Amino acid sequence: MPDCSIYNYLGERLRHFKLGTTAFNVVIGRASSCDVSLKGVVDNTVSREHIRIKRNGVNWMLESIGNCGVFLNAERIKSAPLVDGSVFRFSQYFLCVGEKTKPSPFDVVCDEHTEDNRHRSVIWPGVNTIGASKDNYITVRTEDVARIHGKIFSDGEHLEYEGIHSSYESAINGVSVGTARTELKEGDELMMAETTVRIVRGVRSQMQVSSMMDNDLHNPNATMSSVKRVAKTPFGWIIALMIVLLLCLLIFILFANTLYQLLF
């Protein structure tokens, strides 16, 4: 029974679900009608219906059905088998397959001004493209960084960097590396053109996420119900009740004030 999680570029888990024996066609996207809805937690670069996961015998296949596509190890794919350890990128969101598959221990940090004010991004297991384009695993939007400047390879605690093109200047700790695949370690400074980023060990926050099991995925209303289940805590209901009471009080005060002005 495949275990899947969806993360954002900061490594925060947004959704968690399991595929089982009853759901044979699971759609993931921004629409509230999707089996796994990302409405409210992703931006509009994600299509209303972006990914379809289909069961084929004992195996599962992922299909790209969205506008901006799906990538596996920095290669755009139309379809691919769902295998433990795989990380699929769609826009700036990441579908991790397998209970133990998650962001790598490392982040890329940029202390310089960036056009999108993004200063930290997760390094993912496998191949990560890095550059100024938003269509990268790691986006560093400065004027001098190339659209796709290089690749970072991640395997557990081991990292390597490789420049995409010899005309794109790359250096690690002040030593030019060009297009040669070079070891990258925690604490290293990677310079792309005139922009410097640092490799740091990431701090992973534990977010409360909606978790969907197989019987939920089979139910067309499962996504909203599972989101509501997250919110249904005693403390949450107390806050909601207080807000409703305050709104009622405000309406009553406005009504009473209007009535007083009319009569007197």
Side-chain angles (χ1 to χ4, degrees), residues 91-185:
S91 183
Q92 287 288 289
Y93 304 93
F94 302 84
L95 171 62
C96 294
V97 183
E99 188 176 354
K100 296 182 179 180
T101 308
K102 57 186 178 180
S104 84
F106 303 104
D107 290 354
V108 170
V109 172
C110 181
D111 296 321
E112 301 180 23
H113 172 74
T114 59
E115 295 176 13
D116 57 358
N117 290 319
R118 182 179 297 187
H119 298 285
R120 178 184 289 264
S121 295
V122 163
I123 298 175
W124 298 90
V127 185
N128 301 252
T129 53
I130 180 171
S133 169
K134 292 181 179 180
D135 198 19
N136 279 297
Y137 286 68
I138 302 164
T139 299
V140 182
R141 291 187 66 80
T142 60
E143 293 181 355
D144 53 331
V145 173
R147 185 177 180 275
I148 302 177
H149 204 102
K151 293 180 180 179
I152 295 177
F153 301 83
S154 171
D155 183 9
E157 293 282 331
H158 185 69
L159 299 175
E160 292 181 325
Y161 174 81
E162 177 183 276
I164 291 289
H165 196 277
S166 58
S167 62
Y168 302 159
E169 183 181 352
S170 296
I172 297 176
N173 298 327
V175 179
S176 179
V177 295
T179 58
R181 194 158 161 172
T182 307
E183 185 180 10
L184 197 60
K185 303 185 299 297

Side-chain angles (χ1 to χ4, degrees), residues 191-209:
M191 178 176 284
M192 297 176 292
E194 298 299 320
T195 298
T196 300
V197 298
R198 296 180 290 114
I199 308 301
V200 302
R201 190 166 292 272
V203 178
R204 307 289 174 240
S205 63
Q206 296 296 321
M207 294 181 65
Q208 189 178 27
V209 298

Side-chain angles (χ1 to χ4, degrees), residues 5-264:
S5 294
I6 296 174
Y7 295 84
N8 61 16
Y9 71 92
L10 291 171
E12 299 168 334
R13 190 164 71 164
L14 308 176
R15 293 289 185 267
H16 172 241
F17 59 96
K18 292 185 178 181
L19 303 168
T21 56
T22 59
F24 298 96
N25 185 22
V26 176
V27 176
I28 303 170
R30 192 164 40 87
S32 57
S33 58
C34 288
D35 302 289
V36 180
S37 175
L38 302 175
K39 184 176 182 179
V41 295
V42 299
D43 58 31
N44 58 12
T45 59
V46 174
S47 298
R48 289 179 57 80
E49 294 186 354
H50 204 113
I51 291 172
R52 177 182 288 115
I53 299 175
K54 298 175 66 175
R55 189 177 179 187
N56 183 13
V58 296
N59 300 316
W60 294 85
M61 291 291 296
L62 180 144
E63 295 180 0
S64 171
I65 56 175
N67 294 328
C68 68
V70 177
F71 294 77
L72 176 63
N73 283 324
E75 298 290 338
R76 186 165 185 157
I77 55 106
K78 184 62 181 174
S79 64
L82 220 60
V83 178
D84 264 20
S86 298
V87 178
F88 296 92
R89 178 178 72 81
F90 57 107
S91 183
Q92 287 288 289
Y93 304 93
F94 302 84
L95 171 62
C96 294
V97 183
E99 188 176 354
K100 296 182 179 180
T101 308
K102 57 186 178 180
S104 84
F106 303 104
D107 290 354
V108 170
V109 172
C110 181
D111 296 321
E112 301 180 23
H113 172 74
T114 59
E115 295 176 13
D116 57 358
N117 290 319
R118 182 179 297 187
H119 298 285
R120 178 184 289 264
S121 295
V122 163
I123 298 175
W124 298 90
V127 185
N128 301 252
T129 53
I130 180 171
S133 169
K134 292 181 179 180
D135 198 19
N136 279 297
Y137 286 68
I138 302 164
T139 299
V140 182
R141 291 187 66 80
T142 60
E143 293 181 355
D144 53 331
V145 173
R147 185 177 180 275
I148 302 177
H149 204 102
K151 293 180 180 179
I152 295 177
F153 301 83
S154 171
D155 183 9
E157 293 282 331
H158 185 69
L159 299 175
E160 292 181 325
Y161 174 81
E162 177 183 276
I164 291 289
H165 196 277
S166 58
S167 62
Y168 302 159
E169 183 181 352
S170 296
I172 297 176
N173 298 327
V175 179
S176 179
V177 295
T179 58
R181 194 158 161 172
T182 307
E183 185 180 10
L184 197 60
K185 303 185 299 297
E186 179 183 358
D188 281 351
E189 291 189 345
L190 170 63
M191 178 176 284
M192 297 176 292
E194 298 299 320
T195 298
T196 300
V197 298
R198 296 180 290 114
I199 308 301
V200 302
R201 190 166 292 272
V203 178
R204 307 289 174 240
S205 63
Q206 296 296 321
M207 294 181 65
Q208 189 178 27
V209 298
S210 65
S211 184
M212 287 167 275
M213 300 299 288
D214 178 53
N215 59 335
D216 288 333
L217 294 174
H218 194 56
N219 176 1
N221 298 317
T223 303
M224 290 309 297
S225 65
S226 49
V227 171
K228 290 175 183 175
R229 282 200 301 272
V230 173
K232 284 184 179 177
T233 62
F235 186 68
W237 280 117
I238 291 171
I239 293 176
L241 182 60
M242 290 177 63
I243 292 172
V244 171
L245 290 174
L246 286 172
L247 288 173
C248 290
L249 180 62
L250 180 61
I251 293 171
F252 175 79
I253 292 172
L254 291 173
F255 176 78
N257 184 60
T258 303
L259 185 62
Y260 179 83
Q261 290 179 354
L262 289 174
L263 293 176
F264 300 100

